[in-house]
């Protein structure tokens, strides 16, 4: 059974870079669109972007200038960096697997990141 | 960019049927997926594609789409269905993905 686990610092200073990693266990990282989503406290879900197993990426326009995603097949990990963070980047960050047609069938438990 | 519009809140009596809708121009071209999120938990996929339920999702959940509106229907709502439901699809402007604002379902 495929599982995802986010990891990274829970506190980031303003203007610095947020870095998170998602580890895939119980299955292959090949195929699929590996996705990041975030949710500010008390608010809705925001799609950040995905990295395909080939390395192709797509990011939401509002974050495109600050977001980078990468993938390491040998470690079965994919990563997210968000540069120049502000308090508005404070959120629960989830990684998820997109099986195609946008369906996110497996999610990590999420990791809370506070910018302060 | 496109938007997906959902009613902020909906209520249903226990055992009755409720329809949660999602409106957006992209729904004329692309499939929608639906997610259930309970407090303190990660979202769970409940419907995707052409009304496909992932393994473990009760058959009281179903999806439909017509024109620019997609709907998630719960037939015989249970107390455990109380949650926030999000739709997700594509943005026709730039092909990125986006979520609706979410609908909080209360089971009375």
């Amino acid at each position: 059974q495929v599982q995802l686990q986010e990891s990274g610092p829970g506190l980031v200073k303003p203007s610095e870079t947020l870095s998170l990693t998602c580890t895939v266990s119980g299955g292959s990282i090949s195929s699929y669109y590996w996705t990041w989503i975030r949710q500010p406290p008390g608010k809705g879900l925001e799609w950040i972007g995905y990295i395909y197993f080939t390395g192709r990426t797509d990011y939401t326009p509002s974050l495109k200038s600050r977001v980078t995603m990468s993938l390491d097949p040998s470690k079965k990990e994919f990563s997210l960096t968000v540069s120049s963070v502000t308090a508005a980047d404070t959120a629960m960050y989830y990684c998820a697997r997109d099986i195609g047609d946008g369906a996110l069938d497996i999610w990590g438990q999420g990791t809370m990141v506070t910018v302060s | 960019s496109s938007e997906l519009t959902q009613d902020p809140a909906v209520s249903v009596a226990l055992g009755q049927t409720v329809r949660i809708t999602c409106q957006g121009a992209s729904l004329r071209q692309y499939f929608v997926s639906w997610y259930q999120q309970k407090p303190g938990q990660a979202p769970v996929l409940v419907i995707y594609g052409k009304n496909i339920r992932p393994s473990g999702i009760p058959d009281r959940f179903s999806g439909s789409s017509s024109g620019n509106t997609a709907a998630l229907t719960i037939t015989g709502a249970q107390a455990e269905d109380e949650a926030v439901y999000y739709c997700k699809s594509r943005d026709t402007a730039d092909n990125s993905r986006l979520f609706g604002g979410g609908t909080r379902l209360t089971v009375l």
Side-chain angles (χ1 to χ4, degrees):
Chain A
Q1 182 181 355
V2 177
Q3 293 184 314
L4 305 180
Q5 179 66 59
E6 304 90 348
S7 60
L11 183 64
V12 181
K13 290 181 168 56
S15 80
E16 295 191 344
T17 295
L18 176 164
S19 296
L20 298 174
T21 296
C22 183
T23 302
V24 180
S25 61
S28 173
I29 201 168
S30 297
S31 303
Y32 308 117
Y33 298 81
W34 301 98
T35 301
W36 289 95
I37 305 100
R38 70 181 184 180
Q39 185 172 35
K43 297 189 177 181
L45 301 171
E46 179 181 25
W47 183 85
I48 301 173
Y50 69 69
I51 181 164
Y52 194 43
F53 78 103
T54 58
R56 178 166 63 90
T57 57
D58 191 11
Y59 307 138
T60 191
S62 63
L63 294 174
K64 188 171 283 190
S65 64
R66 299 193 293 126
V67 165
T68 303
M69 294 183 187
S70 60
L71 184 146
D72 187 338
S74 66
K75 294 183 179 179
K76 294 177 67 176
E77 294 178 348
F78 60 103
S79 299
L80 167 73
T81 63
V82 182
S83 63
S84 305
V85 297
T86 69
D89 295 307
T90 292
M92 181 72 78
Y93 284 76
Y94 296 100
C95 60
R97 185 179 79 170
D98 183 332
I99 57 173
D101 280 334
L104 302 170
D105 71 328
I106 298 173
W107 294 63
Q109 65 184 28
T111 187
M112 184 66 202
V113 178
T114 301
V115 178
S116 178
Chain B
S1 62
S2 303
E3 285 186 351
L4 295 177
T5 301
Q6 297 184 244
D7 292 328
V10 169
S11 62
V12 62
L14 184 67
Q16 296 303 300
T17 296
V18 63
R19 191 166 175 264
I20 298 169
T21 60
C22 175
Q23 287 190 302
S26 66
L27 302 183
R28 295 183 183 277
Q29 297 174 250
Y30 299 111
F31 285 124
V32 69
S33 50
W34 289 95
Y35 302 85
Q36 175 194 69
Q37 187 178 33
K38 297 181 179 179
Q41 297 182 20
V44 172
L45 177 67
V46 294
I47 291 288
Y48 69 100
K50 206 166 187 178
N51 191 22
I52 301 171
R53 276 179 293 105
S55 174
I57 301 301
D59 61 5
R60 63 179 179 272
F61 289 88
S62 63
S64 61
S65 187
S66 178
N68 71 337
T69 301
L72 173 70
T73 300
I74 307 174
T75 303
Q78 301 300 302
E80 61 264 32
D81 300 334
E82 192 162 280
V84 179
Y85 291 85
Y86 294 93
C87 60
K88 174 180 173 288
S89 189
R90 290 197 190 197
D91 188 328
T92 52
D94 57 21
N95 208 37
S96 64
R97 306 332 190 230
L98 72 165
F99 287 95
T103 297
R104 182 174 301 277
L105 175 67
T106 301
V107 180
L108 304 171

